[in-house]
């Protein structure tokens, strides 16, 4: 049974959480790096409901998703938080789509983008330890043994 949880998440708390994780040093203009205090409210994005700011230094516009993998997205902050939560917890795209009221293809598109971004951020250097341990992992591949 699916339980639509999108309506249970507070918009302001979602924005606060995303700000903390997307812009840990504070929201800045992605064009000139001016602090958000040097910007003014410009408009509200119709799709996501996010306030859009115009920089007083360079006249660039930006919002919470600027400079992130969700740039250009029309998802609301609660949808983004719950999508990320679902991806990390291993929920299926179909279940996330039903719970968040999104199309399956939309969830799949964002899953692929987030995964590609995570893969691009993986370090290329080898592990500095000369010895490393790993736990054994067993997978049931469906083989039948006699």
């Amino acid at each position: 049974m699916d339980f639509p949880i999108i309506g249970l998440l507070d918009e302001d708390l979602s924005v606060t959480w995303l700000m903390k994780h997307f812009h840990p040093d504070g929201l800045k203009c992605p064009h000139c790096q001016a602090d958000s205090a040097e910007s003014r409210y410009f408009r509200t994005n119709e799709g996501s409901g996010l306030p859009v700011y115009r920089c007083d230094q360079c006249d660039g516009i930006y919002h919470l998703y600027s400079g992130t993998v969700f740039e250009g997205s029309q998802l609301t902050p609660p949808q983004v938080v719950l999508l990320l939560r679902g991806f990390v917890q291993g929920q299926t795209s179909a279940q996330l789509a039903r719970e968040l009221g999104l199309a399956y293809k939309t969830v799949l598109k964002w899953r692929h983008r987030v995964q590609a971004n995570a893969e691009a951020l993986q370090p290329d250097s080898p592990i500095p330890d000369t010895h490393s341990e790993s736990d054994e992992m067993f997978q049931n591949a469906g083989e039948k043994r006699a």
Side-chain angles (χ1 to χ4, degrees), residues 103-134:
Y104 171 79
K105 286 187 175 185
T106 300
V107 173
L108 197 59
K109 172 183 82 170
W110 288 109
R111 180 183 297 273
H112 289 163
R113 286 185 183 180
V114 168
Q115 287 174 336
N117 190 54
E119 185 176 354
L121 294 174
Q122 292 297 308
D124 292 332
S125 59
I127 298 174
D129 295 343
T130 56
H131 301 287
S132 56
E133 296 179 21
S134 64

